[in-house]
Amino acid sequence: MTHLLEVNNLTTQFGSGERVEAVVDNVSFSVGQGETVVLLGESGSGKSITALSIMRLLPQAARISGGDILLGGDSLFTLSERAMRHVRGGRIGMIFQEPQSSLNPVLTAGQQIGEALQQHKGLKGRDQLLRAVELMDAVGIPEPDRRVHEYPHQFSGGMKQRIMIAMALAGEPDLLIADEPTTALDVTIQAQVLELLRDLQKKTGMGILFITHDLGVASVMADRVAVMYKGQIVEQQGSDAFFKSPEHEYSIHLFNSLPNRDKRIRDEKTAATMPDRSGKPLLSVDNMKVYYPIRKGLFKRVVGHVQAVDDVSIELYAGETVAIVGESGSGKTTMGKGILQLLEVTDGNIVFNGEDLNRLDAATLRKRRSDMQIVFQDPYSSMNPRMMIADIIEEGMLAQGIGSGSSDRQNRIDKLLTDVGMKPEHKLRYPHEFSGGQRQRICIARALAVEPKLVICDEPTSALDVSVQAQILDLLNDLQQRLGLAYLFITHNIGVVEYLAHYVAVMYQGRIVEQGAVEDVLYAPAHSYTRKLLSAVPMVRTGTEDK
Amino acid sequence: MNKPVYLAVFITALWLVLGLMAGLELSDPDRIDLGRILEPPASGSLLGYDDLGRSIAARLVAGARTSLVVALTVVMISALVGTVVGITSAWFGGWWGRISVMLIDIFMAFPGLLLAIALAGILGPGVSNAIIALAVVGWVGFARLARAQTLSVRERDHVLAARAMGTRTPVILVKHILPLILAPLIVQATFDIAGAVIAEATLSFLGLGVQPPAASWGSMIRDGVRYMLSAPHMVVAPGAAIFLVVLSINILGDRLRDRLDVRMLNGRREPAAPRETLA
């Protein structure tokens, strides 16, 4: 039986001479008509380079050094560059992760779809426009007659990804390569786009090569799963078999890293037991509001307000974790920064340890800052690239007058680094020498250096691979038990909430629509938005526990 | 490095060395030899003599000192004032932000050199007044650049983290802002040195810079203009000096910009970080 796409022993290398590295190492797989094959792997595993090798769109430093790729039985490597242009967008369509930067901002949606139509179908003028409208309709963009003339900035992220899909479909491809197409999207939008792709596949019978790092998404999409690790495919199985009983050690590791309720029970973390909520709360936020004025016209009159955080109330006790869940733009980060007084709060009381932070003068507030710290999402921008690790961790101690002298502070730095699973000798290095997960550990050490009672974690694991995420969550859990820390954990990942949090508040458009104990909110949601959010999360059909 | 860059390094170094050496008075630029008035270059007299019988070579060296002192002082003052204004303007905002932006806009609205000429005219001729006039014009470029750069790094998470730890504002500005915006400022300073050399020569050409008998490349050209047809060497020698020095500094500045840009690019993208191993 001939497959639509056959990749045989593909090897792609970076560099030349002595420093050759095979990023894709002897990879073989195939995609059949109407079949979806998911290429699953963490960052750096070579999955995107595999896709680019198929399209022959590799970056300059890379070179295909072996193997063959057959599309419908014809080798792609023997084609001329001219013939290859007809394959790209013609027989193979491709969509990318970042819809924001994949569209040209100065061309209308119709013009961009039209470009593909002209190239591959020879359509011009009115025919082209009509077909573009048809395609936009097919990918579920409302009012396509009108919106075909709009520019990318007038579309939301999910709509932009739909336009990308329409462009990829313009050439009526036999094969669609989707490289993390929903990673940049909110979970409710992701669910819509995934459904759209499945629908389109049913209608057109195209094969899909779907690249993702997300086990949940893989579970929803895949007919077959190929797991990539360090440039090699370590396991290839039918979807049902794979999710029931992954075979390779690395696949099993991936499943075990996935944060959720099962893992919480398996790991026997204290998070499974509810902390004592008697006494006074450590932090209590009452009717907090953060409004931004909208100014218009010549005199910059205030014509309205953006209500980034609107009337939010929340309580946090020592030693517990409260998760704030919401999609992008829901105001969860603004709320976190507002609590720490890192931006101006319009109204409301933020009582920490019996004091209203809103009413403290600058000098007192500076002293109180040692009690509350923050860990950011992006481990790359959250450390000064020109400072050594020791200086980064010491900075807070100096500001707060912690430690009796330089040697005492150095000892503390050594201990902090050990506490977060790093080595004391790491302190003489610079941030760029560390991986994302290691940097996040250092950021945690920096936050702990001033001996806080409360740490606000702003999506601390969102930029990390799932296996690294598991390690960081583990560390946070450990530190909470040892030091009695309270966490306000901001996240969009429901699995993380299940794994780590005691209480959860769901935010939507600046308001908390529902809050309560994790078990209540996640397993018996009361608010319609919570239900919508939960049902959009792609669930992994695990069967690992049965074994 | 390719040949033009070597040449640029050599000429700039020569300028620096001669500028410093002139202070040692190896040959007297003011010594008048009436027998050699307007003598063209020949063996025994390297670059010839001017209309008063002074050695043009000696005056060229003295002029190098003038241009060096003026250019470096002007750029140092401008960079210092401009960077402080720019960083504080972006960081504090509010009324200071509005006033500083307004000031920057007003100064930018005037052609720089014309403003400097007008100022030097009001202050009166002299080296120190020329320096003041050029610095008054020069800080604006640094202020605008420092402001824009500060705005772009101000919201980075490590700055926010420093605030969250209670770090004092001056410490944040010096440790978290300044090191990250330094590269473009250094490049700007390099180009401004070249600009200041031309500006000093212009002021001196107009008689607003150094006063006779002290030598400057600008005033040497002015003296030579009257004899341009009979003794072109009086104009050619200082003109060539200005041309070569400015060109060399610009080549070096270009080079420096490329180098610093590449490093910034790497800093943003980050070189491949070590991979986490399986736990």
Side-chain angles (χ1 to χ4, degrees):
Chain A
M1 157 178 140
T2 57
H3 292 287
L4 177 60
L5 176 80
E6 257 182 88
V7 176
N8 295 324
N9 308 319
L10 176 71
T11 301
T12 303
Q13 299 177 329
F14 269 78
S16 58
E18 296 283 294
R19 301 186 53 202
V20 173
E21 195 190 349
V23 180
V24 177
D25 190 1
N26 209 9
V27 160
S28 301
F29 64 92
S30 61
V31 183
Q33 204 89 41
E35 184 187 39
T36 302
V37 174
V38 167
L39 215 48
L40 182 74
E42 297 185 293
S43 58
S45 61
K47 48 197 195 317
S48 285
I49 295 296
T50 304
L52 293 175
S53 300
I54 296 169
M55 295 296 264
R56 280 176 45 191
L57 286 173
L58 287 168
Q60 283 212 332
R63 197 169 54 83
I64 295 168
S65 61
D68 200 4
I69 294 173
L70 305 175
L71 181 68
D74 314 323
S75 170
L76 290 183
F77 291 168
T78 55
L79 291 181
S80 66
E81 187 54 33
R82 191 186 164 82
M84 196 61 210
R85 268 211 304 279
H86 287 283
V87 172
R88 292 185 202 121
R91 293 172 66 192
I92 307 179
M94 187 157 182
I95 46 180
F96 301 91
Q97 172 173 352
E98 207 43 80
Q100 321 287 359
S101 59
S102 303
L103 289 170
N104 185 338
V106 298
L107 295 179
T108 63
Q111 281 167 334
Q112 303 194 48
I113 300 171
E115 199 175 7
L117 287 169
Q118 185 171 349
Q119 172 78 20
H120 298 290
K121 296 282 151 203
L123 290 180
K124 283 195 179 129
R126 187 149 179 79
D127 293 341
Q128 190 193 79
L129 184 71
L130 287 175
R131 179 68 185 139
V133 171
E134 249 173 64
L135 281 168
M136 284 177 75
D137 192 39
V139 296
I141 295 174
E143 298 181 72
D145 315 330
R146 184 170 64 81
R147 303 214 74 180
V148 73
H149 299 295
E150 289 185 1
Y151 290 88
H153 72 266
Q154 292 167 292
F155 292 90
S156 66
M159 285 295 157
K160 275 184 214 164
Q161 199 56 295
R162 285 170 193 263
I163 295 172
M164 284 301 298
I165 295 172
M167 283 167 70
L169 293 180
E172 294 169 21
D174 304 323
L175 175 72
L176 182 70
I177 300 180
D179 187 357
E180 303 258 11
T182 58
T183 305
L185 304 176
D186 275 327
V187 52
T188 50
I189 312 294
Q190 163 172 293
Q192 294 165 14
V193 171
L194 294 181
E195 199 188 327
L196 169 69
L197 283 174
R198 282 203 310 271
D199 273 2
L200 291 169
Q201 184 178 34
K202 244 178 249 158
K203 277 180 209 152
T204 62
M206 63 186 173
I208 297 182
L209 178 62
F210 196 98
I211 295 169
T212 185
H213 68 278
D214 188 323
L215 274 169
V217 172
S219 163
V220 171
M221 291 300 289
D223 294 319
R224 255 175 338 115
V225 179
V227 182
M228 273 194 96
Y229 178 60
K230 291 190 173 164
Q232 296 179 327
I233 291 185
V234 295
E235 172 168 5
Q236 222 175 137
Q237 278 211 63
S239 177
D240 291 338
F242 175 76
F243 284 99
K244 192 164 268 164
S245 56
E247 276 163 8
H248 192 269
E249 177 198 359
Y250 175 72
S251 317
I252 296 169
H253 175 70
L254 277 183
F255 277 100
N256 287 340
S257 301
L258 211 60
N260 53 31
R261 187 157 171 256
D262 299 338
K263 181 171 167 65
R264 170 178 180 161
I265 295 164
R266 196 164 61 235
D267 292 0
E268 292 174 348
K269 295 296 177 194
T270 45
T273 57
M274 288 305 252
D276 184 21
R277 264 202 158 182
S278 61
K280 270 194 178 163
L282 178 66
L283 170 78
S284 110
V285 177
D286 290 316
N287 304 98
M288 172 174 159
K289 291 183 182 129
V290 180
Y291 288 1
Y292 293 112
I294 306 168
R295 294 174 195 274
K296 266 203 177 139
L298 188 58
F299 298 103
K300 301 271 168 84
R301 269 187 317 118
V302 178
V303 295
H305 287 92
V306 177
Q307 302 173 345
V309 174
D310 195 13
D311 224 3
V312 160
S313 302
I314 198 168
E315 276 188 348
L316 182 62
Y317 288 73
E320 72 177 19
T321 301
V322 172
I324 310 282
V325 190
E327 295 184 289
S328 55
S330 62
K332 50 194 197 304
T333 293
T334 308
M335 178 183 161
K337 288 180 181 166
I339 290 173
L340 288 187
Q341 304 288 309
L342 291 175
L343 46 81
E344 210 170 306
V345 175
T346 313
D347 194 21
N349 300 322
I350 298 161
V351 181
F352 183 82
N353 242 353
E355 281 178 310
D356 190 342
L357 297 180
N358 270 345
R359 311 215 188 316
L360 291 183
D361 60 275
T364 324
L365 179 64
R366 181 149 52 223
K367 283 201 200 94
R368 295 293 175 272
R369 285 201 179 284
S370 70
D371 289 337
M372 41 192 190
Q373 280 299 305
I374 183 163
V375 175
F376 296 97
Q377 168 175 1
D378 180 5
Y380 294 88
S381 77
S382 54
M383 281 188 277
N384 187 338
R386 305 282 158 96
M387 278 164 82
M388 269 193 305
I389 303 305
D391 298 329
I392 288 171
I393 298 177
E394 192 182 18
E395 186 175 22
M397 295 193 232
L398 286 174
Q400 295 294 340
I402 292 172
S404 54
S406 176
S407 63
D408 179 37
R409 281 194 295 272
Q410 291 304 318
N411 287 338
R412 282 165 184 260
I413 292 170
D414 294 351
K415 182 167 180 315
L416 283 163
L417 283 172
T418 319
D419 281 351
V420 297
M422 305 279 293
K423 296 198 183 87
E425 55 262 35
H426 284 146
K427 68 180 177 181
L428 297 179
R429 300 216 205 142
Y430 285 90
H432 71 84
E433 297 174 57
F434 296 99
S435 67
Q438 289 175 316
R439 286 180 205 211
Q440 211 55 300
R441 287 172 190 271
I442 296 166
C443 288
I444 293 170
R446 169 177 66 184
L448 296 182
V450 295
E451 299 167 349
K453 299 188 176 81
L454 163 72
V455 179
I456 294 187
C457 304
D458 188 357
E459 305 252 18
T461 59
S462 301
L464 306 176
D465 279 328
V466 55
S467 57
V468 183
Q469 163 172 292
Q471 296 168 15
I472 297 290
L473 293 179
D474 217 37
L475 172 66
L476 287 171
N477 227 329
D478 244 34
L479 291 168
Q480 182 166 52
Q481 285 174 49
R482 268 194 282 157
L483 306 172
L485 296 171
Y487 293 139
L488 188 69
F489 203 99
I490 297 166
T491 184
H492 67 274
N493 188 330
I494 304 290
V496 171
V497 176
E498 271 185 308
Y499 176 62
L500 195 74
H502 303 105
Y503 293 90
V504 59
V506 182
M507 274 192 94
Y508 180 59
Q509 295 186 349
R511 290 168 176 272
I512 290 181
V513 295
E514 182 168 2
Q515 61 178 316
V518 167
E519 302 272 323
D520 299 341
V521 174
L522 294 193
Y523 306 123
H527 193 272
S528 61
Y529 174 74
T530 315
R531 281 200 287 271
K532 186 175 154 207
L533 186 70
L534 290 173
S535 68
V537 176
M539 281 297 163
V540 181
R541 311 164 262 158
T542 47
T544 38
E545 282 81 35
D546 310 339
K547 288 211 297 183
Chain B
M1 276 205 282
N2 45 11
K3 275 180 194 156
V5 179
Y6 279 126
L7 206 63
V9 170
F10 175 72
I11 290 172
T12 311
L14 193 68
W15 177 52
L16 292 173
V17 170
L18 289 181
L20 296 172
M21 205 173 71
L24 302 173
E25 301 286 340
L26 288 181
S27 57
D28 185 358
D30 297 333
R31 199 169 67 93
I32 293 172
D33 188 341
L34 292 173
R36 313 185 83 163
I37 286 176
L38 294 181
E39 195 179 279
S43 58
S45 67
L46 195 56
L47 293 171
Y49 287 79
D50 71 1
D51 55 331
L52 296 177
R54 295 174 296 191
S55 161
I56 288 186
R59 293 187 71 73
L60 214 53
V61 174
R65 181 180 172 76
T66 310
S67 68
L68 186 72
V69 167
V70 172
L72 290 190
T73 321
V74 165
V75 171
M76 267 192 294
I77 296 174
S78 314
L80 197 70
V81 174
T83 307
V84 170
V85 171
I87 291 181
T88 53
S89 165
W91 181 265
F92 294 107
W95 64 268
W96 167 239
R98 277 197 295 278
I99 287 178
S100 53
V101 170
M102 220 184 286
L103 265 178
I104 292 172
D105 283 347
I106 289 171
F107 274 92
M108 297 284 277
F110 290 100
L113 199 53
L114 280 185
L115 189 60
I117 290 169
L119 276 170
I122 295 167
L123 294 169
V127 176
S128 46
N129 285 347
I131 291 175
I132 293 173
L134 292 176
V136 164
V137 180
W139 69 276
V140 192
F142 288 96
R144 196 178 59 147
L145 188 63
R147 184 182 143 81
Q149 293 287 324
T150 306
L151 285 176
S152 76
V153 297
R154 186 179 66 166
E155 302 297 333
R156 282 177 64 106
D157 286 344
H158 63 84
V159 179
L160 217 54
R163 282 175 60 204
M165 284 183 297
T167 308
R168 285 168 194 282
T169 305
V171 180
I172 293 181
L173 295 186
V174 171
K175 276 170 103 174
H176 288 278
I177 304 283
L178 191 61
L180 270 72
I181 69 169
L182 210 52
L185 288 173
I186 290 173
V187 173
Q188 165 94 2
T190 315
F191 287 123
D192 268 25
I193 290 176
V197 169
I198 293 181
E200 183 274 326
T202 310
L203 289 183
S204 293
F205 181 83
L206 296 172
L208 294 167
V210 295
Q211 292 307 294
S216 148
W217 292 343
S219 62
M220 284 170 75
I221 294 179
R222 182 172 67 142
D223 292 343
V225 166
R226 274 172 289 167
Y227 305 96
M228 195 135 74
L229 294 179
S230 56
H233 64 277
M234 275 184 72
V235 181
V236 170
I242 294 173
F243 170 75
L244 287 175
V245 165
V246 170
L247 182 68
S248 301
I249 297 174
N250 275 326
I251 289 175
L252 291 185
D254 261 346
R255 191 76 190 186
L256 191 65
R257 181 175 54 194
D258 294 347
R259 288 286 286 273
L260 293 175
D261 268 4
V262 166
R263 200 188 301 161
M264 278 171 71
L265 210 75
N266 283 343
R268 234 178 278 128
R269 282 221 197 109
E270 309 291 355
R275 293 274 308 141
E276 231 107 356
T277 46
L278 264 167

